[in-house]
Amino acid sequence: MEAVTILNDLSFTINRGDTLAVLGPSGAGKTSLLRLLNGMDSPSSGHIFFDNKLLEDHPILELRKNIGMVFQSPAMLKGSVEENLRITERWSDNVFSTDKLVTVLEYVELSQRFLSKNAQSLSGGEKQRVALARVLLNYPSVLLLDEPTANLDPKLAKSIIKLFSDLQKGLGLTVLISSHNHSLIQNFVNRVIVLIDGKIIEEGNVGVLSNPKTKEVQHFLLDENE
Amino acid sequence: MQEFYHITWTDVFVSLVLVGLTLALIRWWKIGLEKTLIIGTVRSFVQLTFMGYVLTFFFEQRHWSFMIGLIVVMTLIAGFEGARRQKKTPIPNYFLILTGSLFTTLVIVLGVILAFILDVKPWYYPYAIIPIGGMIIGNAMNSATLATNRFMSELQHRRREIEMMLSLGSPVRAAVQDSIRESVQAALIPTINSMMTVGIVFLPGIMSGQILSGVDPMIAVRYQIMIMYMWVTTTALADILVLALVYRQLFTSKAQLKQVNVRR
């Protein structure tokens, strides 16, 4: 298989409690970056530190619980929403009470009646919420959200973003959210990095977006507003 | 009453009448397989005659090393053939995995049969070890390659689901559990179907052959029952062994799905 460099020469720091947006056009390497942080892939060179310790020195399964990831179009197992929420019971000692499941559904603004619904026939937005609830049941301290609004209509997208914002404040999570749509999430995050062709082009607080230094970023910001 | 239906080479040539009939039939209906059919006819004649001489040679040997050697060679050929069929979605070390699984299955199942059921003495008595060993290896290979094939397409099909579970902190084993279950079930279907219908819908070739050559039907039946049980154990054991080794090849030590044709 041909080796392709997807991310190159990246360096950035995230502080506890930060909400960081990883912005960039599709194909910029946003998903690849998030997958590295969750340990789904390993970098071919370079180092990632988490809690002052090399990422690869953390026990991988614990790390993934601690750094939860919601994929762009989340996979649902065959069966009910309840079975999907109970998935970690398959490999851990977790036993969730129904009350617990109802509470976590409330977090993601779904009612109790969703428990018995067929998970695979939910709408895109509902799947996002169930996937988020599933991750929250692991009590993560970091959340990685990969293009969470990509398949949603603008109104739904806004309500999901608001949900993340509420959760982040309520639970004190550190959140990384990738998006090709900066206008949607810029009010929710306090820092951004702009990734183009696998490189960080712009980094800082949200202000950098209103005053982009490089043409590439200007181009990206304009493109998407069309 | 004639107890033993002796078949001569002349009889075999006369049975070519059946092939001739088939040839005429496919010609008439323009099926277009004449050449293949003739090649097949010649090949089955040559291969089986050759096998007859090989078997006769081995049956004349009365030393355990010959039996061990024969079994090892049979297993290696089965492993090679099975691994060759897995070219489309290559699996690292598949030849070793398959051959190892087949051999382990063979040793366990054949061991139980020779030691406790047929009570063969000495254990390397060729009339037991060659046909039974051959059946075990053949069935194990068919089923294990079927299971592997299905497992690879399950992984492709469930890639997102498996990565979702891994990302939630699932050990690899738990993440592939559903794929393993589906694959072993699918590979066991032919065996289970045979167990369900044997004696009602069809008479197995071995049993028919035994009866034809004059064996008491009740003895032939007892043999067949043992063979059915042997068959299901063989396939289940081979399928599970091979998949238990295969799935480990497809993930890194960091519980990441490797890029071996499973990922885009």
Side-chain angles (χ1 to χ4, degrees), chain A:
Chain A
M1 200 169 285
E2 201 186 337
V4 180
T5 305
I6 300 168
L7 296 168
N8 195 11
D9 199 18
L10 286 195
S11 175
F12 66 98
T13 311
I14 312 156
N15 298 315
R16 193 171 287 277
D18 266 357
T19 47
L20 175 80
V22 180
L23 298 173
S26 52
K30 306 186 294 292
T31 301
S32 304
L33 175 60
L34 263 51
R35 287 176 60 95
L36 290 178
L37 300 179
N38 178 246
M40 296 303 289
D41 291 315
S42 298
S44 46
S45 67
H47 299 292
I48 303 169
F49 289 89
F50 177 64
D51 270 349
N52 299 320
K53 204 164 112 183
L54 271 173
L55 203 67
E56 63 249 42
D57 289 345
H58 290 268
I60 184 70
L61 304 183
E62 284 304 311
L63 179 87
R64 287 181 183 157
K65 280 186 221 166
N66 208 348
I67 304 183
M69 175 148 174
V70 179
F71 292 87
Q72 179 169 348
S73 33
M76 292 286 137
L77 296 180
K78 264 189 201 146
S80 65
V81 169
E82 174 163 0
E83 283 166 68
N84 271 274
L85 292 179
R86 291 189 185 278
I87 183 169
T88 61
E89 292 179 355
R90 290 186 183 189
W91 58 79
S92 65
D93 306 330
N94 290 347
V95 183
F96 300 120
S97 65
T98 309
D99 284 350
K100 176 88 210 165
L101 299 183
V102 173
T103 310
V104 79
L105 278 185
E106 276 169 12
Y107 266 135
V108 298
E109 295 165 349
L110 293 177
S111 68
Q112 183 171 358
R113 67 193 170 83
F114 271 87
L115 279 182
S116 58
K117 284 199 177 184
N118 178 352
Q120 288 185 329
S121 55
L122 298 177
S123 71
E126 289 163 348
K127 279 184 185 165
Q128 280 287 347
R129 287 166 197 265
V130 172
L132 180 60
R134 200 161 55 184
V135 169
L136 288 177
L137 283 166
N138 265 341
Y139 299 98
S141 59
V142 180
L143 260 188
L144 309 173
L145 308 167
D146 188 20
E147 291 272 5
T149 59
N151 304 320
L152 307 181
D153 67 60
K155 205 177 141 202
L156 253 175
K158 255 185 202 149
S159 76
I160 281 270
I161 293 295
K162 185 178 174 301
L163 170 66
F164 293 144
S165 172
D166 293 346
L167 277 176
Q168 190 273 327
K169 287 181 194 121
L171 302 174
L173 300 172
T174 307
V175 176
L176 264 87
I177 179 166
S178 79
S179 181
H180 62 275
N181 185 338
H182 74 281
S183 50
L184 193 64
I185 60 173
Q186 63 183 9
N187 296 328
F188 156 59
V189 299
N190 59 16
R191 287 180 56 214
V192 295
I193 60 178
V194 179
L195 211 56
I196 292 175
D197 290 337
K199 287 190 171 168
I200 294 181
I201 304 293
E202 201 83 64
E203 183 183 5
N205 58 26
V206 185
V208 298
L209 294 179
S210 50
N211 192 14
K213 286 191 291 264
T214 68
K215 274 214 178 92
E216 284 145 305
V217 178
Q218 276 173 11
H219 204 75
F220 160 64
L221 295 174
L222 282 175
D223 257 8
E224 149 220 324
N225 286 339
E226 278 169 17

